[in-house]
Amino acid sequence: MNRAYLAAMAGLNTWLTRLAFAALLAPAAAYAAAPIEMMLKDHKFSPSVVTVKAGEPFTIHLTNKDATADEFDSTALKVEKVVTGNSDGMVHIRPLAPGKYPFMGEYHAATAQGLVIAK
Ligand SMILES: [Cu+2]
């Protein structure tokens, strides 16, 4: 093994170490966004307005504190998810273009209204 070979191997080792770190960090980045906590109580969402990053999928963890079921429903977000009374559920939402996306609790739409703002 000559000196040049050893130097090359040392360089490769550093590169492989960086690659290994990048591989470790990549999955973490994909799951970086924690679910947005949202509550339904007295047939109202809180928070009723949430701001998210455009172009990234996200999840809303909806806790229904009411005794009756409701459906997180949005034509704009292309999502429907029933959450039974005193229960919770995950609402998965696709990456959005910048804009405003209304949603509602379909079973109590008179009061259960909300808005996602993607920036
Ligand atoms: Cu519906």
Side-chain angles (χ1 to χ4, degrees):
M1 280 182 246
N2 61 30
R3 201 170 282 182
Y5 174 81
L6 287 174
M9 286 311 288
L12 180 65
N13 193 35
T14 303
W15 184 78
L16 285 173
T17 302
R18 284 194 189 136
L19 195 66
F21 269 108
L24 280 174
L25 293 174
Y31 293 99
I36 296 165
E37 294 296 332
M38 188 181 285
M39 204 166 71
L40 249 182
K41 196 170 189 289
D42 302 324
H43 312 302
K44 285 177 190 164
F45 292 105
S46 79
S48 60
V49 178
V50 294
T51 302
V52 301
K53 259 190 175 180
E56 290 184 10
F58 61 97
T59 302
I60 293 173
H61 177 221
L62 182 61
T63 302
N64 184 2
K65 300 269 192 184
D66 289 326
T68 53
D70 212 329
E71 184 184 59
F72 186 103
D73 183 286
S74 173
T75 308
L77 294 168
K78 297 190 173 94
V79 70
E80 280 189 316
K81 170 80 182 176
V82 174
V83 180
T84 55
N86 294 314
S87 182
D88 67 318
M90 292 291 195
V91 184
H92 300 288
I93 300 177
R94 70 201 160 88
L96 301 173
K100 292 179 178 177
Y101 302 81
F103 62 87
M104 64 174 166
E106 194 177 353
Y107 305 159
H108 305 89
T111 50
Q113 294 283 337
L115 187 69
V116 171
I117 300 169
K119 286 185 178 176

